[in-house]
Amino acid sequence: MSRFHVLTVLSLVALGATSQAQPAPAVVAPALSIPSTVSAINSPTPMSQRVVWYQIAAKYDPKTHTLEGDETLTYHNLTGQPLDTFPFHLYLNGFQPKADWISETKRDGTRDVDFKKWEKSYYGADEIKTFEVVGQGDLTSQLQFIQPDDDNKEDHTVVQAKLKTPIPPDGYVQFKIKFHDQFPETLERTGWKRDFLLAGQWFPKVGVWWHGGWNCHQFHGSTEFFADFGMYDVKITVPQNEVVGASGIRVDEVNNADGTRTTTYHGEDIHDFAWTASPHYRIMDDTYQGTMGPIKLRIMMQPANWSQAQRHDDILRNTLDRFEKWYGPYPYKTLTMVDPEPGSAAEGMEYPTFITGGTNWFVPKGIKLPELVVEHEFGHQYWYGMVATNEFEDAWMDEGINSYSEVKVLDSVFGPRTSVFNLAGATMGDGELQFGSYAPVADLDPIARNGWEYVDFNSYAGITYGKTAIVLLTLENIIGEDTMQRAMHTYFMRYRFTHPTKDDFLKTLEEVSGKNLRWYFDQAFYGTQVLDFRVMKAESTPEDWYKDSFNEDKAKKGETEYLTDVIVQNRETFLMPVDVAIKFDNGETVREHWDGQTRWMRYVYHKKAKVESVEIDPDHKILFDRNNFNNSYTVEPNGTATSKLTNYWRFIQQFFAQMLTWWLV
Amino acid sequence: MAYNLNLISNGASILGRTKRYIIWFFLLNLALAWFGASAFKVHAARIMDHSLYADKVLHGMDLEVVGELLNRPELGGAEGCVASATHFALLFFVLTLIFLPGVLQGYASDHRLPRDAFFRACGRNVWRFFRLMIFFLIIGGIVSGILFGLQAGLGKVLDKSQSNGAVPFAANLVCLLVIFLIMTGIRAWFDLAETDIVLSDQNASRKSLSFAWRMMRGHRVRLVWAYAVITLLATIVLAVGVVLWNRIVPPASVAGAFIVSQLMLLFWLTARFWQRAAAVSFYLAQTAGREAESAPVVPVLAA
């Protein structure tokens, strides 16, 4: 063989060897995705951009109130940029003595517990046992607690994972998390009481990428939650004697050999998942024909409250009717309403397609509090559930807008003066209730404030619920009920299944009304200005008062000329136009329009009649005037109302004096 | 049962012939409450008398308006109204303590008690009644403290084990009924002691207490039963009065509401005096029997 031939052969052999030395092609993992199923909604297509898919298997031990969880979270990066850090909420860690939730609640108060003394049963925890990123390995040891809102290192309600490899835009990542929950004895509407459990905020939940960054706040005393839309597939294993209810639709139920039962739920286009278990529930099932399809109503009552099941069903149906007509369709196939364990702090809470009511074994029909709670929590299916605002930063956008629609619904069902209380001659409407919660805290905080920055819980509640409701009701009176309804409908349809901001809402109101409402928004939403109109003076003086011959007592009615002087005043700093009605004793009523931009306004009349009464805002359009008593003035006093109330007070005193003497002497 | 009826009906007949005492105490109760409520009336009038908004409590009872009124700073706050009401209630209590001995003396008398005898009885016994009241506070306080403590403990046990809210409610009602009956028994005991202080001119309150305790032996149930029946009657009248007030009196009728409410209070006051009259009647019956027993038997010598 010539040298050439040897070289050729060697080259060919080398080429062949090189070819044979190339590594085998990599095994390609199946591509991650989030399904587009629509089995849990009455829609042919998904309603939201599904960012997350939670697949969770949870086993609950009612003896120790603990839960072992196995979570697979598939996340779709729709942020437009690569992501290598992911914060997760661990809300149950808020129920520890030095966490923000407990320390702020101890300082500012809350709706449930006063924390005079720390009980072991208050302790809650959501502990991540293992944290794996598929394709990147176990990152458990890399997890770090972070505190985005303050420097409280003892607060472990947000944990952050830093990935080895960023997830590209439009890419998917899958987290496999094993976690262990210790539920508290119901705090903030989650936890156990006797043999009942309400599991809310119970699994590690990824934050929301919003406006260019992660929005994942710590769990504060007066804040709620914020999460992305997606899908949930949850298997819940509990003892077989437990009756379970949850978000979404029930797809399977299996009795296990160890005496437990596993129930599987599936939810679509929702951003949270809650569930409950108790051996005691009695179930009422009903179907409501929604505009998009049938909705299964599942009402889970405590046995002692069974007589009120129909009341709960009725208000759900009435509320669905109004919401679908006024705002838009309810697209889910289910709604579960839970009557929680007596004495548990689990009443009055909302989760997507799952709400808790609040009642007692004896509530007369004239007291509408059970209906109010159910209506309010259902309303959150729209304002929070579908229009998924940031409950940390804009608590008013779900609580306040929902309180506004609560007044509208309850007034339409039960009448505006009797929508909360109508018993033994005493009445109260829901709008009045909202005013009552607002008035004591009127000048403390603006509506547009981060939820954890209110001065205390009373201000948070009074401003986010009460003030927002009456500010919106007043706006409705300004722009007209039809216009307001169109605006709310537009807002819902435009922003459902998204995370709108306050500007989105306020701009929608302006756009639909066609009015510049910035003067109102700046004061009502962003400011702490208070409104207090007052009739300062209403007096008629005879024009001929100076004449010796004049005797007013002998003057004939209708023949004497009077100079009437009326002064109305704005005592506070909220500036707004208002009507004033001046009534004379000849039956005439003069109506003036005051632009409200000055401290006071004087009206002078020359008439053959005396002023009888003056009323500011005679149509009662303004619902947040701090003092309603001084909005009107009658020249002749009428002491009957005072005498009536004094009579009641006197009766109470006499009875108290007699009872004191009855026992002691 | 005939004995029971005598206790209640004897008490009623004593009341019938001494109506003036109830009238005076009722007028005292009304007058003091009138003064006690005057602060509220003056401040409320300034807020409401010239306001159209007040119509909401005149032709109905709008609770929000009432709440708004009570929160007005011009009213002086709830504390101011409650303070003046409490002071006048205490004054009524003190005046009852002072004048009650005269009432008991009048109950025991078979003729109209002259005014000077009435006030003598009051003056002689006011300090004794005060000491007896201290005893009641101690004994009643300890007993009621124990009973309410047991009730709270039962409540905690039921709360841990009961999902049915009606069960703790029913249990509380039963506990309150038991507490009421036991405290009524203690009240009856002290009423008898008061009667003994007045009628025996007993300076030592402790001796009256032990005498009354012994007197009750064998009759405790009957006494408590008589007191309970009178209280039940008064409660029924109160409940009927509330219904009438709500259903029949027009919302804007101040005179109608005043008449109905005062009639209810008059009967409530009468019930307590009825109990005291029943105690006096029992005391007289018991001591009359003892006097008959203790009178020496004079032997009749043969002629």
Side-chain angles (χ1 to χ4, degrees):
Chain A
M1 195 180 284
S2 69
R3 193 182 296 168
F4 171 78
H5 285 131
V6 167
L7 281 171
T8 306
V9 167
L10 282 172
S11 300
L12 283 170
V13 167
L15 256 173
T18 307
S19 298
Q20 283 164 11
Q22 278 175 1
V27 175
V28 177
L32 292 172
S33 66
I34 297 176
S36 320
T37 56
V38 289
S39 55
I41 52 175
N42 285 323
S43 168
T45 53
M47 308 248 357
S48 72
Q49 204 171 38
R50 295 174 183 180
V51 178
V52 293
W53 180 20
Y54 287 92
Q55 296 162 280
I56 307 175
K59 186 165 184 180
Y60 176 64
D61 180 354
K63 290 197 183 72
T64 56
H65 314 297
T66 57
L67 179 145
E68 300 307 318
D70 208 318
E71 173 181 316
T72 300
L73 165 61
T74 306
Y75 182 91
H76 187 188
N77 181 6
L78 294 169
T79 66
Q81 52 195 280
L83 294 178
D84 65 350
T85 59
F86 285 83
F88 282 79
H89 291 285
L90 299 175
Y91 287 108
L92 291 181
N93 285 345
F95 306 124
Q96 293 166 17
K98 295 212 170 168
D100 276 0
W101 196 92
I102 294 287
S103 48
E104 287 170 12
T105 304
K106 171 99 178 140
R107 182 191 69 201
D108 301 334
T110 184
R111 55 173 66 82
D112 306 317
V113 185
D114 59 17
F115 293 111
K116 283 200 175 98
K117 190 180 153 228
W118 177 257
E119 303 282 348
K120 280 187 199 153
S121 60
Y122 295 154
Y123 181 84
D126 189 355
E127 184 195 339
I128 292 180
K129 303 291 257 244
T130 61
F131 187 95
E132 180 198 332
V133 179
V134 173
Q136 299 195 29
D138 190 317
L139 297 184
T140 314
S141 58
Q142 313 291 320
L143 294 175
Q144 269 190 315
F145 291 115
I146 60 170
Q147 293 80 31
D149 302 330
D150 56 29
D151 56 2
N152 179 10
K153 299 294 178 213
E154 307 276 356
D155 185 272
H156 295 164
T157 55
V158 180
V159 70
Q160 182 164 274
K162 187 158 169 64
L163 275 54
K164 294 171 187 169
T165 310
I167 308 304
D170 206 31
Y172 287 84
V173 60
Q174 198 169 70
F175 302 95
K176 289 193 181 294
I177 308 169
K178 287 194 192 316
F179 63 96
H180 166 87
D181 282 346
Q182 172 65 58
F183 285 101
E185 185 179 0
T186 28
L187 288 175
E188 193 62 4
R189 282 77 59 86
T190 191
W192 59 271
K193 178 79 176 177
R194 300 183 201 97
D195 49 8
F196 154 92
L197 175 74
L198 197 294
Q201 312 307 331
W202 57 283
F203 56 94
K205 202 194 296 182
V206 71
V208 177
W209 184 270
W210 201 44
H211 297 162
W214 281 114
N215 194 293
C216 190
H217 290 286
Q218 292 157 255
F219 191 20
H220 295 279
S222 55
T223 56
E224 291 189 308
F225 319 106
F226 189 38
D228 270 318
F229 286 94
M231 277 182 40
Y232 284 79
D233 285 290
V234 181
K235 290 181 191 304
I236 300 164
T237 301
V238 293
Q240 283 178 16
N241 67 328
E242 303 269 5
V243 179
V244 175
S247 302
I249 55 171
R250 184 167 42 163
V251 295
D252 192 26
E253 199 167 77
V254 172
N255 283 334
N256 305 315
D258 61 356
T260 61
R261 181 193 300 125
T262 301
T263 314
T264 306
Y265 287 87
H266 175 71
E268 290 156 353
D269 301 318
I270 55 177
H271 53 72
D272 199 356
F273 185 95
W275 57 279
T276 183
S278 165
H280 304 295
Y281 288 124
R282 276 184 77 175
I283 309 293
M284 174 192 255
D285 282 320
D286 194 6
T287 303
Y288 179 87
Q289 191 56 39
T291 50
M292 286 178 73
I295 302 162
K296 186 170 173 199
L297 304 179
R298 186 166 154 97
I299 296 169
M300 305 176 69
M301 298 295 296
Q302 294 295 320
N305 304 339
W306 182 247
S307 60
Q308 297 174 44
Q310 192 58 52
R311 279 175 74 167
H312 287 69
D313 187 50
D314 288 345
I315 190 62
L316 273 176
R317 299 177 73 87
N318 275 315
T319 308
L320 264 162
D321 171 67
R322 269 80 173 169
F323 267 76
E324 290 216 304
K325 274 191 192 127
W326 296 344
Y327 308 126
Y330 179 84
Y332 303 105
K333 286 186 175 171
T334 59
L335 179 81
T336 299
M337 195 240 69
V338 175
D339 172 27
E341 181 79 4
S344 70
E347 287 134 349
M349 188 55 190
E350 73 278 5
Y351 302 93
T353 74
F354 179 95
I355 62 174
T356 65
T359 187
N360 220 323
W361 67 276
F362 178 69
V363 181
K365 284 201 174 129
I367 300 176
K368 304 291 182 205
L369 290 177
E371 284 86 352
L372 186 152
V373 175
V374 171
E375 193 289 333
H376 185 90
E377 302 315 326
F378 176 82
H380 275 308
Q381 299 305 303
Y382 283 63
W383 320 120
Y384 144 88
M386 290 184 269
V387 179
T389 49
N390 186 331
E391 290 190 308
F392 288 91
E393 297 175 8
D394 291 313
W396 66 274
M397 287 190 75
D398 68 298
E399 296 300 353
I401 293 175
N402 193 29
S403 296
Y404 155 78
S405 56
E406 170 195 306
V407 173
K408 299 293 293 176
V409 170
L410 291 181
D411 282 2
S412 100
V413 177
F414 300 118
R417 302 280 290 273
T418 52
S419 50
V420 170
F421 193 93
N422 185 11
L423 193 68
T427 59
M428 184 187 276
D430 193 27
E432 295 174 307
L433 186 69
Q434 303 296 341
F435 174 80
S437 75
Y438 152 75
V441 296
D443 55 1
L444 285 176
D445 288 295
I447 288 176
R449 165 155 283 179
N450 289 329
W452 65 92
E453 290 178 344
Y454 288 86
V455 68
D456 61 19
F457 184 78
N458 287 335
S459 180
Y460 161 81
I463 298 293
T464 59
Y465 291 71
K467 183 176 179 182
T468 310
I470 56 179
V471 155
L472 289 174
L473 287 164
T474 301
L475 181 65
E476 179 177 286
N477 290 335
I478 293 170
I479 65 176
E481 190 176 10
D482 287 344
T483 306
M484 188 69 178
Q485 200 171 297
R486 274 191 293 113
M488 296 301 296
H489 170 71
T490 303
Y491 171 64
F492 172 73
M493 294 302 288
R494 185 179 290 174
Y495 292 107
R496 57 183 181 161
F497 303 108
T498 69
H499 301 303
T501 65
K502 54 175 104 33
D503 276 342
D504 293 328
F505 174 65
L506 297 176
K507 281 183 178 151
T508 305
L509 292 174
E510 280 188 305
E511 173 199 320
V512 175
S513 68
K515 293 182 188 323
N516 178 1
L517 298 170
R518 205 39 55 172
W519 63 273
Y520 186 74
F521 296 156
D522 286 344
Q523 297 181 95
F525 289 92
Y526 292 97
T528 53
Q529 290 91 323
V530 173
L531 183 86
D532 184 6
F533 286 127
R534 172 188 168 221
V535 177
M536 198 170 146
K537 184 182 181 189
E539 195 176 83
S540 293
T541 312
E543 301 263 21
D544 291 337
W545 63 271
Y546 59 92
K547 289 182 179 169
D548 287 338
S549 57
F550 179 75
N551 185 339
E552 189 177 359
D553 293 335
K554 289 186 179 163
K556 282 190 186 166
K557 190 176 173 184
E559 289 184 9
T560 306
E561 191 85 17
Y562 287 92
L563 171 72
T564 295
D565 190 23
V566 171
I567 303 176
V568 292
Q569 180 193 12
N570 184 350
R571 302 185 77 192
E572 294 279 359
T573 50
F574 196 110
L575 305 178
M576 100 176 258
V578 71
D579 289 341
V580 182
I582 300 111
K583 195 172 168 195
F584 292 88
D585 65 2
N586 62 355
E588 185 190 353
T589 301
V590 175
R591 205 154 163 129
E592 304 282 2
H593 183 78
W594 178 26
D595 66 6
Q597 302 300 307
T598 51
R599 258 296 174 217
W600 52 269
M601 175 60 72
R602 167 176 261 134
Y603 299 102
V604 177
Y605 306 94
H606 299 272
K607 286 183 187 296
K608 287 185 179 174
K610 291 160 78 169
V611 63
E612 199 172 80
S613 68
V614 177
E615 188 173 13
I616 302 172
D617 187 27
D619 302 323
H620 308 134
K621 288 183 176 181
I622 300 170
L623 303 178
F624 54 90
D625 191 311
R626 204 176 189 178
N627 181 355
N628 288 297
F629 286 101
N630 63 4
N631 287 10
S632 58
Y633 182 82
T634 58
V635 173
E636 288 304 314
N638 182 349
T640 314
T642 301
S643 297
K644 178 178 175 178
L645 291 184
T646 307
N647 195 33
Y648 279 108
W649 182 228
R650 193 181 302 123
F651 175 84
I652 291 168
Q653 283 186 69
Q654 285 178 265
F655 190 76
F656 172 64
Q658 287 192 25
M659 287 308 292
L660 188 71
T661 312
W662 182 298
W663 288 108
L664 293 185
V665 185
Chain B
M1 282 309 287
Y3 186 82
N4 275 346
L5 288 171
N6 282 342
L7 206 59
I8 295 174
S9 62
N10 285 349
S13 72
I14 290 173
L15 280 189
R17 59 177 172 77
T18 56
K19 287 187 286 293
R20 62 193 180 283
Y21 296 141
I22 294 174
I23 303 294
W24 280 114
F25 275 89
F26 171 72
L27 289 174
L28 185 68
N29 180 242
L30 175 59
L32 290 174
W34 198 280
F35 285 118
S38 60
F40 172 85
K41 185 166 186 183
V42 164
H43 294 309
R46 275 196 209 120
I47 298 168
M48 294 210 293
D49 284 5
H50 287 275
S51 174
L52 294 169
Y53 196 55
D55 279 355
K56 287 189 169 189
V57 296
L58 182 57
H59 302 289
M61 183 55 68
D62 190 314
L63 294 177
E64 195 285 319
V65 177
V66 174
E68 201 179 332
L69 172 71
L70 294 177
N71 278 314
R72 290 305 315 158
E74 304 94 290
L75 198 68
E79 298 85 6
C81 296
V82 168
S84 75
T86 307
H87 296 149
F88 283 105
L90 283 171
L91 190 55
F92 178 73
F93 158 69
V94 168
L95 290 170
T96 303
L97 188 75
I98 292 170
F99 293 123
L100 191 58
V103 172
L104 297 180
Q105 189 76 67
Y107 283 172
S109 172
D110 52 9
H111 59 274
R112 188 184 171 100
L113 194 69
R115 203 171 298 157
D116 60 333
F118 178 91
F119 286 109
R120 234 188 344 267
C122 296
R124 194 169 60 240
N125 293 295
V126 62
W127 183 236
R128 296 168 184 172
F129 269 44
F130 179 76
R131 291 201 305 269
L132 196 67
M133 183 203 71
I134 300 295
F135 274 116
F136 180 84
L137 284 172
I138 295 169
I139 295 170
I142 291 170
V143 171
S144 62
I146 292 169
L147 292 173
F148 281 113
L150 288 171
Q151 182 196 18
L154 177 64
K156 275 190 185 148
V157 167
L158 287 175
D159 182 64
K160 277 199 163 69
S161 61
Q162 257 316 310
S163 286
N164 185 340
V167 171
F169 178 78
N172 268 328
L173 270 185
V174 169
C175 285
L176 285 172
L177 181 64
V178 168
I179 293 171
F180 165 74
L181 290 172
I182 292 173
M183 293 306 294
T184 297
I186 295 175
R187 188 63 255 165
W189 171 28
F190 274 74
D191 283 353
L192 287 174
E194 284 173 354
T195 309
D196 184 60
I197 283 175
V198 173
L199 299 186
S200 307
D201 197 17
Q202 175 59 263
N203 196 43
S205 311
R206 283 193 318 273
K207 284 186 181 168
S208 288
L209 269 175
S210 59
F211 180 67
W213 181 258
R214 287 194 306 274
M215 188 187 290
M216 285 173 74
R217 201 178 294 149
H219 302 289
R220 285 190 181 92
V221 172
R222 285 174 175 154
L223 268 166
V224 170
W225 176 250
Y227 269 52
V229 166
I230 293 168
T231 306
L232 181 64
L233 279 171
T235 308
I236 290 169
V237 169
L238 200 67
V240 168
V242 168
V243 170
L244 284 175
W245 193 348
N246 185 246
R247 295 268 166 97
I248 292 177
V249 175
S253 169
V254 177
F258 179 77
I259 290 167
V260 169
S261 61
Q262 293 306 313
L263 284 173
M264 285 157 60
L265 289 163
L266 175 61
F267 197 85
W268 191 258
L269 186 74
T270 302
R272 184 64 186 109
F273 279 84
W274 192 352
Q275 290 175 338
R276 293 186 182 111
V280 168
S281 149
F282 174 76
Y283 180 91
L284 290 173
Q286 291 293 92
T287 50
R290 284 203 178 85
E291 280 167 11
E293 283 166 15
S294 62
V297 174
V298 177
V300 175
L301 296 171

